[in-house]
Amino acid sequence: MKRKLNDVRAIAQQAFDSLPERFRRAAEGVVIRVEHWPDNETLKTMNIASVFGLLGLYHGVALPFKSVLDAPTAADMVTLYRAPMIAYARQTGEPLEDVVRHVLVHELGHHFGFSDEDMEAIEAREDA
């Protein structure tokens, strides 16, 4: 079955809605977008060679670095990339819903100030 952009948007919304309330409240105001592919400028900036190499991206200032004294800026945003997530799900055999949820939680983790290394350590502890 071919998953359309709106299908992945609905999966992302369901994933967000299923998160604990405390987590959702802390992510209030973060815009969640779904795009087909990452754009070339983003890939170049992040030094990623393949369009399949980026499943999601957080844009914004992480909560630990925000101040009430800062001038308002653009809304924090999580962008999920539909085609790379579908390809990853097919390659690994994981359900697309699980992949979307994992990528969404990972990118929201950046909003909370976690690095990739922090999140890998958390996941390793959960797997143990």
Side-chain angles (χ1 to χ4, degrees):
M1 171 206 283
K2 184 171 174 149
R3 300 290 185 118
K4 297 180 180 166
L5 201 63
N6 284 335
D7 296 336
V8 177
R9 283 186 182 123
I11 292 168
Q13 186 62 56
Q14 289 170 348
F16 183 82
D17 292 345
S18 74
L19 297 173
E21 182 181 345
R22 188 174 82 196
F23 194 76
R24 289 191 320 266
R25 230 177 311 131
E28 193 172 285
V30 175
V31 175
I32 300 170
R33 293 179 42 191
V34 178
E35 301 284 334
H36 288 291
W37 296 99
D39 62 79
N40 288 332
E41 182 179 328
T42 299
L43 293 171
K44 184 177 179 181
T45 299
M46 298 193 66
N47 200 28
I48 297 173
S50 169
V51 292
F52 293 99
L54 186 61
L55 306 181
L57 185 63
Y58 170 70
H59 306 269
V61 178
L63 289 176
F65 304 106
K66 288 189 179 207
S67 168
V68 294
L69 301 177
D70 290 338
T73 59
D76 292 334
M77 184 180 324
V78 167
T79 304
L80 305 174
Y81 297 109
R82 176 195 151 275
M85 287 190 299
I86 290 171
Y88 181 86
R90 286 184 183 148
Q91 179 182 355
T92 62
E94 291 181 50
L96 180 60
E97 292 77 7
D98 292 352
V99 172
V100 171
R101 181 182 173 85
H102 179 82
V103 174
L104 176 63
V105 168
H106 180 93
E107 298 310 330
L108 287 172
H110 289 307
H111 173 67
F112 297 126
F114 296 119
S115 68
D116 286 333
E117 294 78 19
D118 293 334
M119 288 183 273
E120 287 172 16
I122 292 167
E123 288 175 354
R125 281 196 308 265
E126 285 183 9
D127 291 343

